[in-house]
mmCIF file of all heavy atoms in Angstrom:
data_model
loop_
_atom_site.group_PDB
_atom_site.id
_atom_site.type_symbol
_atom_site.label_atom_id
_atom_site.label_comp_id
_atom_site.label_asym_id
_atom_site.label_seq_id
_atom_site.Cartn_x
_atom_site.Cartn_y
_atom_site.Cartn_z
ATOM 1 N N GLY E 1 -2.789 17.852 5.126
ATOM 2 C CA GLY E 1 -1.689 17.030 5.609
ATOM 3 C C GLY E 1 -1.022 16.201 4.522
ATOM 4 O O GLY E 1 -1.492 16.132 3.390
ATOM 5 N N GLU E 2 0.070 15.624 4.876
ATOM 6 C CA GLU E 2 0.830 14.765 3.938
ATOM 7 C C GLU E 2 0.121 13.425 3.778
ATOM 8 O O GLU E 2 -0.440 12.882 4.742
ATOM 9 C CB GLU E 2 2.274 14.568 4.415
ATOM 10 C CG GLU E 2 3.080 15.831 4.486
ATOM 11 C CD GLU E 2 4.484 15.618 4.958
ATOM 12 O OE1 GLU E 2 4.819 14.487 5.369
ATOM 13 O OE2 GLU E 2 5.267 16.612 4.923
ATOM 14 N N TYR E 3 0.172 12.858 2.591
ATOM 15 C CA TYR E 3 -0.309 11.491 2.406
ATOM 16 C C TYR E 3 0.329 10.843 1.211
ATOM 17 O O TYR E 3 0.933 11.488 0.375
ATOM 18 C CB TYR E 3 -1.877 11.505 2.237
ATOM 19 C CG TYR E 3 -2.369 12.192 0.972
ATOM 20 C CD1 TYR E 3 -2.399 11.507 -0.267
ATOM 21 C CD2 TYR E 3 -2.865 13.458 0.976
ATOM 22 C CE1 TYR E 3 -2.872 12.096 -1.396
ATOM 23 C CE2 TYR E 3 -3.308 14.064 -0.174
ATOM 24 C CZ TYR E 3 -3.332 13.403 -1.353
ATOM 25 O OH TYR E 3 -3.795 13.969 -2.525
ATOM 26 N N LEU E 4 0.192 9.524 1.150
ATOM 27 C CA LEU E 4 0.671 8.696 0.087
ATOM 28 C C LEU E 4 -0.468 7.799 -0.347
ATOM 29 O O LEU E 4 -1.200 7.265 0.490
ATOM 30 C CB LEU E 4 1.864 7.854 0.592
ATOM 31 C CG LEU E 4 2.525 6.888 -0.355
ATOM 32 C CD1 LEU E 4 3.322 7.644 -1.419
ATOM 33 C CD2 LEU E 4 3.456 5.976 0.425
ATOM 34 N N GLU E 5 -0.608 7.596 -1.651
ATOM 35 C CA GLU E 5 -1.694 6.720 -2.151
ATOM 36 C C GLU E 5 -1.107 5.505 -2.859
ATOM 37 O O GLU E 5 -0.175 5.657 -3.683
ATOM 38 C CB GLU E 5 -2.589 7.505 -3.099
ATOM 39 C CG GLU E 5 -3.769 6.725 -3.664
ATOM 40 C CD GLU E 5 -4.512 7.499 -4.711
ATOM 41 O OE1 GLU E 5 -4.098 7.485 -5.904
ATOM 42 O OE2 GLU E 5 -5.499 8.174 -4.374
ATOM 43 N N LEU E 6 -1.690 4.326 -2.595
ATOM 44 C CA LEU E 6 -1.348 3.115 -3.306
ATOM 45 C C LEU E 6 -2.560 2.711 -4.147
ATOM 46 O O LEU E 6 -3.706 2.863 -3.692
ATOM 47 C CB LEU E 6 -0.987 1.997 -2.340
ATOM 48 C CG LEU E 6 0.112 2.247 -1.353
ATOM 49 C CD1 LEU E 6 0.372 1.051 -0.452
ATOM 50 C CD2 LEU E 6 1.407 2.669 -2.030
ATOM 51 N N TYR E 7 -2.320 2.146 -5.306
ATOM 52 C CA TYR E 7 -3.393 1.721 -6.204
ATOM 53 C C TYR E 7 -3.190 0.270 -6.609
ATOM 54 O O TYR E 7 -2.087 -0.148 -6.904
ATOM 55 C CB TYR E 7 -3.422 2.589 -7.460
ATOM 56 C CG TYR E 7 -4.453 2.182 -8.490
ATOM 57 C CD1 TYR E 7 -5.793 2.358 -8.304
ATOM 58 C CD2 TYR E 7 -4.040 1.596 -9.721
ATOM 59 C CE1 TYR E 7 -6.726 1.962 -9.218
ATOM 60 C CE2 TYR E 7 -4.941 1.165 -10.673
ATOM 61 C CZ TYR E 7 -6.281 1.382 -10.411
ATOM 62 O OH TYR E 7 -7.220 1.007 -11.349
ATOM 63 N N ASN E 8 -4.293 -0.491 -6.592
ATOM 64 C CA ASN E 8 -4.252 -1.889 -6.964
ATOM 65 C C ASN E 8 -4.801 -2.019 -8.412
ATOM 66 O O ASN E 8 -6.007 -1.965 -8.595
ATOM 67 C CB ASN E 8 -5.087 -2.756 -5.994
ATOM 68 C CG ASN E 8 -5.103 -4.223 -6.391
ATOM 69 O OD1 ASN E 8 -4.388 -4.670 -7.302
ATOM 70 N ND2 ASN E 8 -5.894 -4.980 -5.635
ATOM 71 N N SER E 9 -3.933 -2.215 -9.387
ATOM 72 C CA SER E 9 -4.340 -2.303 -10.751
ATOM 73 C C SER E 9 -4.706 -3.746 -11.157
ATOM 74 O O SER E 9 -5.088 -3.968 -12.322
ATOM 75 C CB SER E 9 -3.195 -1.802 -11.677
ATOM 76 O OG SER E 9 -2.036 -2.628 -11.550
ATOM 77 N N GLY E 10 -4.606 -4.656 -10.244
ATOM 78 C CA GLY E 10 -4.928 -6.071 -10.566
ATOM 79 C C GLY E 10 -6.400 -6.391 -10.388
ATOM 80 O O GLY E 10 -7.235 -5.550 -10.168
ATOM 81 N N SER E 11 -6.713 -7.675 -10.497
ATOM 82 C CA SER E 11 -8.090 -8.156 -10.427
ATOM 83 C C SER E 11 -8.393 -8.901 -9.114
ATOM 84 O O SER E 11 -9.473 -9.400 -8.935
ATOM 85 C CB SER E 11 -8.353 -9.127 -11.597
ATOM 86 O OG SER E 11 -7.425 -10.221 -11.602
ATOM 87 N N ASN E 12 -7.425 -8.903 -8.173
ATOM 88 C CA ASN E 12 -7.613 -9.589 -6.930
ATOM 89 C C ASN E 12 -7.351 -8.640 -5.781
ATOM 90 O O ASN E 12 -6.498 -7.754 -5.845
ATOM 91 C CB ASN E 12 -6.709 -10.797 -6.801
ATOM 92 C CG ASN E 12 -6.967 -11.866 -7.824
ATOM 93 O OD1 ASN E 12 -8.102 -12.293 -7.974
ATOM 94 N ND2 ASN E 12 -5.949 -12.270 -8.536
ATOM 95 N N THR E 13 -8.072 -8.869 -4.657
ATOM 96 C CA THR E 13 -7.812 -8.095 -3.450
ATOM 97 C C THR E 13 -6.445 -8.500 -2.879
ATOM 98 O O THR E 13 -6.099 -9.654 -2.890
ATOM 99 C CB THR E 13 -8.906 -8.363 -2.424
ATOM 100 O OG1 THR E 13 -10.191 -7.919 -2.915
ATOM 101 C CG2 THR E 13 -8.638 -7.657 -1.100
ATOM 102 N N VAL E 14 -5.709 -7.516 -2.393
ATOM 103 C CA VAL E 14 -4.396 -7.742 -1.829
ATOM 104 C C VAL E 14 -4.421 -7.429 -0.332
ATOM 105 O O VAL E 14 -4.912 -6.371 0.105
ATOM 106 C CB VAL E 14 -3.334 -6.879 -2.533
ATOM 107 C CG1 VAL E 14 -1.934 -7.129 -1.924
ATOM 108 C CG2 VAL E 14 -3.300 -7.174 -4.013
ATOM 109 N N ASP E 15 -3.915 -8.347 0.475
ATOM 110 C CA ASP E 15 -3.819 -8.134 1.900
ATOM 111 C C ASP E 15 -2.477 -7.471 2.180
ATOM 112 O O ASP E 15 -1.413 -8.043 1.955
ATOM 113 C CB ASP E 15 -3.860 -9.497 2.609
ATOM 114 C CG ASP E 15 -3.899 -9.386 4.136
ATOM 115 O OD1 ASP E 15 -3.686 -8.242 4.640
ATOM 116 O OD2 ASP E 15 -4.067 -10.380 4.816
ATOM 117 N N LEU E 16 -2.529 -6.190 2.672
ATOM 118 C CA LEU E 16 -1.326 -5.433 2.935
ATOM 119 C C LEU E 16 -0.929 -5.441 4.425
ATOM 120 O O LEU E 16 -0.109 -4.640 4.898
ATOM 121 C CB LEU E 16 -1.507 -3.974 2.508
ATOM 122 C CG LEU E 16 -1.312 -3.665 1.013
ATOM 123 C CD1 LEU E 16 -2.330 -4.326 0.131
ATOM 124 C CD2 LEU E 16 -1.351 -2.159 0.772
ATOM 125 N N SER E 17 -1.497 -6.358 5.196
ATOM 126 C CA SER E 17 -1.198 -6.439 6.625
ATOM 127 C C SER E 17 0.294 -6.555 6.856
ATOM 128 O O SER E 17 0.928 -7.458 6.295
ATOM 129 C CB SER E 17 -1.905 -7.646 7.241
ATOM 130 O OG SER E 17 -3.290 -7.536 7.146
ATOM 131 N N TRP E 18 0.843 -5.652 7.662
ATOM 132 C CA TRP E 18 2.230 -5.687 8.053
ATOM 133 C C TRP E 18 3.220 -5.421 6.902
ATOM 134 O O TRP E 18 4.398 -5.629 7.084
ATOM 135 C CB TRP E 18 2.612 -6.985 8.791
ATOM 136 C CG TRP E 18 1.735 -7.288 9.926
ATOM 137 C CD1 TRP E 18 0.863 -8.311 10.112
ATOM 138 C CD2 TRP E 18 1.528 -6.432 11.108
ATOM 139 N NE1 TRP E 18 0.187 -8.244 11.231
ATOM 140 C CE2 TRP E 18 0.568 -7.101 11.906
ATOM 141 C CE3 TRP E 18 2.104 -5.270 11.525
ATOM 142 C CZ2 TRP E 18 0.153 -6.558 13.136
ATOM 143 C CZ3 TRP E 18 1.666 -4.728 12.770
ATOM 144 C CH2 TRP E 18 0.747 -5.410 13.544
ATOM 145 N N TRP E 19 2.743 -4.933 5.796
ATOM 146 C CA TRP E 19 3.635 -4.532 4.725
ATOM 147 C C TRP E 19 4.499 -3.344 5.260
ATOM 148 O O TRP E 19 4.069 -2.585 6.108
ATOM 149 C CB TRP E 19 2.896 -4.033 3.495
ATOM 150 C CG TRP E 19 2.446 -5.225 2.630
ATOM 151 C CD1 TRP E 19 2.114 -6.470 3.021
ATOM 152 C CD2 TRP E 19 2.258 -5.196 1.195
ATOM 153 N NE1 TRP E 19 1.741 -7.263 1.979
ATOM 154 C CE2 TRP E 19 1.811 -6.490 0.825
ATOM 155 C CE3 TRP E 19 2.413 -4.241 0.234
ATOM 156 C CZ2 TRP E 19 1.529 -6.824 -0.458
ATOM 157 C CZ3 TRP E 19 2.118 -4.546 -1.080
ATOM 158 C CH2 TRP E 19 1.698 -5.828 -1.446
ATOM 159 N N LEU E 20 5.706 -3.229 4.746
ATOM 160 C CA LEU E 20 6.640 -2.220 5.200
ATOM 161 C C LEU E 20 6.708 -1.053 4.221
ATOM 162 O O LEU E 20 6.894 -1.239 3.026
ATOM 163 C CB LEU E 20 8.058 -2.840 5.348
ATOM 164 C CG LEU E 20 9.174 -1.902 5.828
ATOM 165 C CD1 LEU E 20 8.935 -1.434 7.245
ATOM 166 C CD2 LEU E 20 10.545 -2.591 5.677
ATOM 167 N N LEU E 21 6.554 0.130 4.733
ATOM 168 C CA LEU E 21 6.724 1.343 3.962
ATOM 169 C C LEU E 21 7.988 2.058 4.446
ATOM 170 O O LEU E 21 8.141 2.314 5.661
ATOM 171 C CB LEU E 21 5.498 2.286 4.153
ATOM 172 C CG LEU E 21 5.668 3.742 3.712
ATOM 173 C CD1 LEU E 21 5.852 3.809 2.192
ATOM 174 C CD2 LEU E 21 4.469 4.540 4.168
ATOM 175 N N LYS E 22 8.886 2.351 3.520
ATOM 176 C CA LYS E 22 10.106 3.070 3.856
ATOM 177 C C LYS E 22 10.150 4.402 3.102
ATOM 178 O O LYS E 22 9.895 4.430 1.926
ATOM 179 C CB LYS E 22 11.372 2.254 3.498
ATOM 180 C CG LYS E 22 11.501 0.967 4.321
ATOM 181 C CD LYS E 22 12.827 0.237 3.985
ATOM 182 C CE LYS E 22 14.048 1.062 4.447
ATOM 183 N NZ LYS E 22 15.304 0.348 4.206
ATOM 184 N N VAL E 23 10.402 5.466 3.802
ATOM 185 C CA VAL E 23 10.539 6.787 3.205
ATOM 186 C C VAL E 23 11.882 7.311 3.702
ATOM 187 O O VAL E 23 12.032 7.731 4.867
ATOM 188 C CB VAL E 23 9.427 7.760 3.633
ATOM 189 C CG1 VAL E 23 9.628 9.099 2.956
ATOM 190 C CG2 VAL E 23 8.046 7.193 3.298
ATOM 191 N N GLY E 24 12.905 7.285 2.740
ATOM 192 C CA GLY E 24 14.239 7.653 3.180
ATOM 193 C C GLY E 24 14.719 6.695 4.236
ATOM 194 O O GLY E 24 14.734 5.479 4.061
#
């Protein structure tokens, strides 16, 4: 199936709750 990967290159945990993903 299709998928998208995000990577956290920083030193702190990031809360992605309710972040918006737009594809086209």
Side-chain angles (χ1 to χ4, degrees):
E2 297 179 353
Y3 66 82
L4 179 70
E5 181 187 85
L6 304 182
Y7 175 71
N8 179 6
S9 63
S11 56
N12 297 307
T13 297
V14 181
D15 184 353
L16 278 65
S17 299
W18 305 117
W19 279 31
L20 179 68
L21 166 64
K22 294 185 67 177
V23 182

